[in-house]
Amino acid sequence: QVQLVESGGGLVQAGGSLRLSCAVSGRTISTYIMGWFRQVAGKERDFVASISWTGGTTRYADSVKGRFTISKDNAKNTVYLQINSLKPDDTAVYYCAASRAIGIVTNTQMYDYWGQGTPVTVSS
């Protein structure tokens, strides 16, 4: 069984940075599309970023381009999300997910496994 555990969230001032990690067990991430999503209470879960099997291809939501960077370390079976220039609008619970799709996907329904989420709060 695939398990994903996020960490690295917290309270940070606007303009600050965080690095989220997603440790995966049960399967190697080298054969999964990995993604990060975020959700604000009462709203839908939104796509943030995704990375291909090899890490050679990435995709980002327009709202985070230039500020967020997704990466992966297949040897450590871990995915990262570097978040810079944080804004109050980035406040959300951030979720890591794994998809058995062949190419990058941005729809939550295409992801098969999810972590429990890590909260990020950005103060103004």
Side-chain angles (χ1 to χ4, degrees):
Q1 182 166 348
V2 180
Q3 292 187 325
L4 291 75
V5 179
E6 303 96 334
S7 61
L11 174 64
V12 62
Q13 289 188 331
S17 298
L18 283 174
R19 189 194 195 200
L20 307 184
S21 298
C22 174
V24 182
S25 61
R27 289 287 190 278
T28 173
I29 64 172
S30 62
T31 58
Y32 283 89
I33 300 297
M34 300 300 299
W36 285 96
F37 292 76
R38 64 186 181 185
Q39 187 171 23
V40 175
K43 296 188 176 181
E44 293 185 349
R45 192 168 296 186
D46 293 329
F47 169 76
V48 173
S50 184
I51 191 166
S52 63
W53 291 6
T54 64
T57 302
T58 57
R59 185 176 296 177
Y60 297 92
D62 288 343
S63 59
V64 307
K65 282 180 182 177
R67 300 188 299 121
F68 290 20
T69 303
I70 187 171
S71 61
K72 63 188 309 191
D73 186 335
N74 285 343
K76 295 183 178 180
N77 232 33
T78 300
V79 183
Y80 305 97
L81 186 68
Q82 178 68 40
I83 308 175
N84 298 328
S85 302
L86 277 158
K87 306 175 182 180
D89 284 350
D90 294 321
T91 295
V93 177
Y94 284 72
Y95 295 89
C96 176
S99 172
R100 290 174 289 188
I102 296 176
I104 284 184
V105 290
T106 63
N107 190 320
T108 57
Q109 294 181 353
M110 295 300 293
Y111 283 81
D112 303 287
Y113 304 102
W114 293 84
Q116 82 289 347
T118 185
V120 172
T121 303
V122 184
S123 63
S124 57

